[in-house]
Amino acid sequence: MTSHVPNEARVIPLRPRAERPEARPTVSPVPPERRPPTVREPLWRDLVGDVLRRERLEQERTLKEVAETARISMPYLSEVERGRKEASSEVLAAAAGALGLGLGDLLARAQGELVRLTSRHTGAGTGRGTPGTRFDGMCLAA
């Protein structure tokens, strides 16, 4: 003899439903013209990749040449240049060295690019401190 049990799942809501629709607080939406502009800062890996690619192209070198000199795979270097991979400091130092740059040079150029891009969107000066002052140090945050 078999018992017939309906195949129904019990659903437990994650958030209890409001008993009355008017119980929810009403928030008037902010019109688009009054919203502050949202600026997405570029990712560090994109900046470093752009600097590596720009330097390689300025030297008129192929991806294969630089990858062989740096002793890293060509597909991996391509991924780093396109900002698809977060390269280790050893890989970045090797790629920079293959281009005749030090790791500090590579990071300083990427930091300069970050300052340039973010100051354009915020309307601020070119660095920290008072507007219009230049910050020549390297700022890296973990």
Side-chain angles (χ1 to χ4, degrees):
M1 178 176 241
T2 60
S3 64
H4 185 280
V5 178
N7 189 10
E8 294 179 18
R10 183 172 169 219
V11 178
I12 301 171
L14 296 176
R15 238 181 260 162
R17 291 185 183 181
E19 304 232 352
R20 293 173 280 142
E22 62 272 8
R24 296 181 81 188
T26 58
V27 178
S28 61
V30 178
E33 65 274 1
R34 298 194 68 205
R35 291 183 196 148
T38 56
V39 177
R40 185 175 155 254
E41 288 189 336
L43 297 175
W44 185 249
R45 67 176 183 239
D46 290 329
L47 296 169
V48 170
D50 288 344
V51 170
L52 287 171
R53 176 168 280 170
R54 190 169 37 248
E55 185 63 31
R56 179 178 61 78
L57 293 175
E58 283 176 10
Q59 293 180 16
E60 297 179 353
R61 294 178 65 191
T62 65
L63 193 62
K64 183 178 180 181
E65 290 172 341
V66 175
E68 286 175 354
T69 304
R71 295 178 163 252
I72 54 180
S73 75
M74 190 174 65
Y76 189 74
L77 180 58
S78 174
E79 295 274 304
V80 170
E81 282 189 356
R82 291 183 288 140
R84 304 283 174 110
K85 296 287 183 188
E86 287 277 356
S88 68
S89 58
E90 291 88 357
V91 169
L92 292 178
L99 293 167
L101 299 172
L103 182 59
D105 298 326
L106 173 65
L107 299 181
R109 290 180 185 191
Q111 188 261 344
E113 188 69 10
L114 176 63
V115 169
R116 185 183 67 79
L117 290 172
T118 56
S119 66
R120 179 181 351 154
H121 292 295
T122 61
T126 57
R128 287 194 202 178
T130 57
T133 62
R134 181 166 166 82
F135 182 73
D136 288 328
M138 186 181 312
C139 295
L140 299 176

Coordinates of all heavy atoms in Angstrom, one line a residue, residues 96-140:
A96 N 58.5 44.4 -16.9 CA 59.1 45.8 -16.9 C 60.6 45.7 -17.3 O 61.1 46.5 -18.1 CB 58.9 46.5 -15.6
G97 N 61.3 44.8 -16.7 CA 62.7 44.6 -17.0 C 63.0 44.3 -18.5 O 63.9 44.8 -19.1
A98 N 62.1 43.5 -19.1 CA 62.2 43.1 -20.5 C 62.0 44.4 -21.4 O 62.5 44.4 -22.5 CB 61.2 42.1 -20.9
L99 N 61.3 45.3 -20.9 CA 61.1 46.6 -21.6 C 62.1 47.7 -21.2 O 62.0 48.8 -21.7 CB 59.7 47.1 -21.3 CG 58.6 46.2 -21.9 CD1 57.2 46.6 -21.3 CD2 58.6 46.3 -23.4
G100 N 63.1 47.3 -20.4 CA 64.1 48.3 -20.0 C 63.6 49.2 -18.8 O 64.2 50.3 -18.6
L101 N 62.6 48.8 -18.1 CA 62.0 49.6 -17.0 C 62.3 48.9 -15.7 O 62.4 47.7 -15.7 CB 60.5 49.8 -17.2 CG 60.0 50.5 -18.4 CD1 58.5 50.5 -18.4 CD2 60.4 52.0 -18.4
G102 N 62.4 49.6 -14.6 CA 62.4 49.0 -13.3 C 60.9 48.9 -12.9 O 60.0 49.5 -13.4
L103 N 60.7 48.1 -11.8 CA 59.4 47.9 -11.3 C 58.8 49.2 -10.8 O 57.7 49.6 -11.0 CB 59.4 46.9 -10.2 CG 58.0 46.6 -9.5 CD1 57.0 46.0 -10.6 CD2 58.2 45.5 -8.4
G104 N 59.7 50.0 -10.2 CA 59.3 51.4 -9.7 C 58.8 52.3 -10.8 O 57.9 53.0 -10.7
D105 N 59.5 52.2 -12.0 CA 59.2 53.0 -13.1 C 57.8 52.6 -13.6 O 56.9 53.5 -13.9 CB 60.2 52.8 -14.3 CG 61.6 53.3 -13.9 OD1 61.7 54.3 -13.1 OD2 62.5 52.6 -14.4
L106 N 57.5 51.3 -13.7 CA 56.2 50.8 -14.2 C 55.1 51.3 -13.2 O 54.1 51.8 -13.7 CB 56.3 49.3 -14.2 CG 55.0 48.6 -14.5 CD1 54.4 48.9 -15.9 CD2 55.1 47.1 -14.4
L107 N 55.3 51.1 -11.9 CA 54.3 51.5 -11.0 C 54.1 53.0 -10.9 O 53.0 53.4 -10.7 CB 54.6 50.9 -9.6 CG 54.7 49.4 -9.5 CD1 55.1 48.9 -8.1 CD2 53.5 48.7 -10.1
A108 N 55.2 53.7 -11.1 CA 55.0 55.2 -11.0 C 54.2 55.7 -12.3 O 53.4 56.6 -12.1 CB 56.4 55.9 -11.0
R109 N 54.5 55.0 -13.4 CA 53.7 55.4 -14.6 C 52.2 55.1 -14.4 O 51.3 55.8 -14.8 CB 54.3 54.7 -15.8 CG 55.6 55.3 -16.2 CD 56.2 54.6 -17.5 NE 57.5 55.1 -17.8 CZ 58.1 54.8 -18.9 NH1 57.6 54.1 -19.8 NH2 59.4 55.3 -19.1
A110 N 52.0 53.9 -13.9 CA 50.6 53.5 -13.6 C 49.9 54.4 -12.6 O 48.7 54.8 -12.8 CB 50.5 52.0 -13.1
Q111 N 50.6 54.8 -11.6 CA 50.1 55.7 -10.6 C 49.8 57.1 -11.2 O 48.8 57.7 -11.0 CB 51.1 55.9 -9.4 CG 50.5 56.7 -8.3 CD 51.0 58.1 -8.2 OE1 51.9 58.5 -8.9 NE2 50.3 58.9 -7.5
G112 N 50.7 57.6 -12.1 CA 50.5 58.8 -12.8 C 49.2 58.8 -13.7 O 48.4 59.7 -13.8
E113 N 49.0 57.6 -14.3 CA 47.8 57.4 -15.2 C 46.6 57.4 -14.3 O 45.6 58.0 -14.7 CB 48.0 56.1 -15.9 CG 46.9 55.9 -17.0 CD 47.0 56.8 -18.2 OE1 48.0 57.5 -18.3 OE2 46.0 56.8 -18.9
L114 N 46.6 56.8 -13.1 CA 45.5 56.8 -12.2 C 45.2 58.2 -11.7 O 44.0 58.6 -11.8 CB 45.8 55.9 -11.0 CG 44.8 55.8 -9.9 CD1 43.5 55.2 -10.4 CD2 45.3 55.0 -8.7
V115 N 46.1 59.0 -11.4 CA 45.9 60.3 -11.0 C 45.3 61.1 -12.1 O 44.3 61.9 -11.9 CB 47.2 61.0 -10.5 CG1 47.0 62.5 -10.3 CG2 47.7 60.3 -9.2
R116 N 45.8 61.0 -13.3 CA 45.3 61.7 -14.5 C 43.9 61.4 -14.7 O 43.0 62.3 -14.9 CB 46.2 61.4 -15.7 CG 45.8 62.2 -16.9 CD 46.6 61.8 -18.1 NE 46.3 60.5 -18.6 CZ 45.3 60.1 -19.3 NH1 44.4 61.1 -19.7 NH2 45.1 58.9 -19.7
L117 N 43.5 60.1 -14.7 CA 42.2 59.7 -15.0 C 41.2 60.1 -13.9 O 40.1 60.5 -14.2 CB 42.1 58.1 -15.2 CG 42.8 57.6 -16.5 CD1 42.8 56.1 -16.4 CD2 42.1 58.1 -17.7
T118 N 41.6 59.9 -12.7 CA 40.6 60.2 -11.6 C 40.5 61.7 -11.4 O 39.4 62.2 -11.1 CB 41.0 59.6 -10.3 OG1 42.3 59.9 -9.9 CG2 40.9 58.1 -10.4
S119 N 41.5 62.5 -11.6 CA 41.4 64.0 -11.5 C 40.5 64.6 -12.6 O 39.9 65.6 -12.4 CB 42.7 64.6 -11.4 OG 43.4 64.5 -12.6
R120 N 40.5 63.9 -13.7 CA 39.7 64.4 -14.9 C 38.2 64.3 -14.5 O 37.4 65.1 -14.8 CB 40.0 63.6 -16.1 CG 39.2 64.0 -17.3 CD 39.4 63.3 -18.6 NE 40.5 62.4 -18.6 CZ 40.5 61.3 -19.3 NH1 39.6 61.0 -20.1 NH2 41.6 60.5 -19.3
H121 N 37.9 63.2 -13.8 CA 36.5 62.9 -13.5 C 36.0 63.7 -12.3 O 34.9 64.1 -12.2 CB 36.2 61.5 -13.2 CG 36.3 60.6 -14.5 ND1 35.5 60.8 -15.6 CD2 37.2 59.7 -14.8 CE1 35.8 59.9 -16.5 NE2 36.9 59.3 -16.1
T122 N 36.9 63.9 -11.3 CA 36.5 64.6 -10.1 C 36.6 66.1 -10.2 O 36.1 66.8 -9.4 CB 37.3 64.1 -8.9 OG1 38.7 64.4 -9.1 CG2 37.1 62.6 -8.6
G123 N 37.4 66.6 -11.2 CA 37.6 68.0 -11.3 C 38.6 68.5 -10.3 O 38.8 69.7 -10.1
A124 N 39.3 67.6 -9.6 CA 40.2 68.1 -8.6 C 41.6 68.4 -9.2 O 41.7 68.2 -10.4 CB 40.4 66.9 -7.5
G125 N 42.6 68.7 -8.4 CA 43.9 68.9 -8.9 C 44.6 67.7 -9.3 O 43.9 66.6 -9.4
T126 N 45.8 67.7 -9.6 CA 46.5 66.5 -10.1 C 47.0 65.6 -9.0 O 47.8 64.7 -9.3 CB 47.7 67.0 -11.0 OG1 48.6 67.8 -10.2 CG2 47.2 67.7 -12.2
G127 N 46.7 65.9 -7.8 CA 47.2 65.0 -6.7 C 46.5 65.3 -5.4 O 45.4 65.8 -5.4
R128 N 47.1 64.8 -4.4 CA 46.5 65.0 -3.0 C 46.8 66.4 -2.6 O 47.6 67.2 -3.1 CB 47.1 64.1 -2.0 CG 46.7 62.7 -2.2 CD 47.1 62.0 -1.0 NE 47.2 60.6 -1.2 CZ 47.6 59.7 -0.3 NH1 47.9 60.1 0.8 NH2 47.6 58.4 -0.6
G129 N 46.2 66.8 -1.4 CA 46.5 68.0 -0.8 C 45.6 69.1 -1.4 O 44.5 68.9 -1.8
T130 N 46.1 70.3 -1.5 CA 45.4 71.4 -2.0 C 45.2 71.3 -3.5 O 46.1 70.8 -4.2 CB 46.1 72.8 -1.7 OG1 47.4 72.7 -2.2 CG2 46.1 73.0 -0.2
P131 N 44.1 71.7 -4.1 CA 43.9 71.6 -5.5 C 45.0 72.3 -6.3 O 45.4 73.4 -5.9 CB 42.5 72.3 -5.7 CG 41.8 72.2 -4.4 CD 42.9 72.2 -3.4
G132 N 45.4 71.7 -7.3 CA 46.5 72.3 -8.2 C 47.9 71.9 -7.8 O 48.8 72.2 -8.5
T133 N 48.1 71.2 -6.6 CA 49.4 70.8 -6.2 C 49.7 69.5 -6.8 O 48.8 68.7 -7.1 CB 49.6 70.7 -4.7 OG1 48.7 69.8 -4.2 CG2 49.3 72.1 -4.1
R134 N 50.9 69.2 -7.0 CA 51.3 67.9 -7.6 C 52.0 67.0 -6.5 O 52.7 67.5 -5.7 CB 52.4 68.1 -8.7 CG 52.8 66.9 -9.4 CD 53.5 67.2 -10.7 NE 54.2 66.0 -11.2 CZ 53.7 65.1 -11.9 NH1 52.4 65.1 -12.2 NH2 54.4 64.0 -12.3
F135 N 51.6 65.8 -6.5 CA 52.1 64.8 -5.6 C 53.0 63.9 -6.3 O 52.5 63.1 -7.2 CB 50.9 64.0 -4.9 CG 51.4 63.1 -3.9 CD1 51.9 63.5 -2.7 CD2 51.4 61.7 -4.1 CE1 52.3 62.6 -1.7 CE2 51.8 60.8 -3.2 CZ 52.3 61.3 -2.0
D136 N 54.3 63.9 -6.1 CA 55.3 63.2 -6.8 C 55.6 61.8 -6.2 O 56.3 61.0 -6.8 CB 56.6 63.9 -7.0 CG 56.4 65.1 -8.0 OD1 55.6 65.0 -8.9 OD2 57.0 66.1 -7.8
G137 N 55.1 61.5 -5.1 CA 55.4 60.2 -4.4 C 54.5 59.1 -5.0 O 53.6 59.4 -5.7
M138 N 54.8 57.9 -4.6 CA 54.0 56.8 -5.1 C 53.1 56.4 -4.0 O 53.5 56.3 -2.8 CB 54.9 55.6 -5.4 CG 54.2 54.4 -6.0 SD 55.2 53.0 -6.4 CE 56.6 53.7 -7.3
C139 N 51.8 56.2 -4.3 CA 50.8 55.9 -3.3 C 50.2 54.5 -3.7 O 49.6 54.4 -4.7 CB 49.7 56.9 -3.2 SG 50.2 58.5 -2.7
L140 N 50.5 53.5 -2.9 CA 49.9 52.2 -3.1 C 49.2 51.8 -1.8 O 49.7 52.0 -0.7 CB 50.9 51.2 -3.4 CG 51.8 51.4 -4.7 CD1 52.8 50.3 -4.8 CD2 50.9 51.4 -5.9

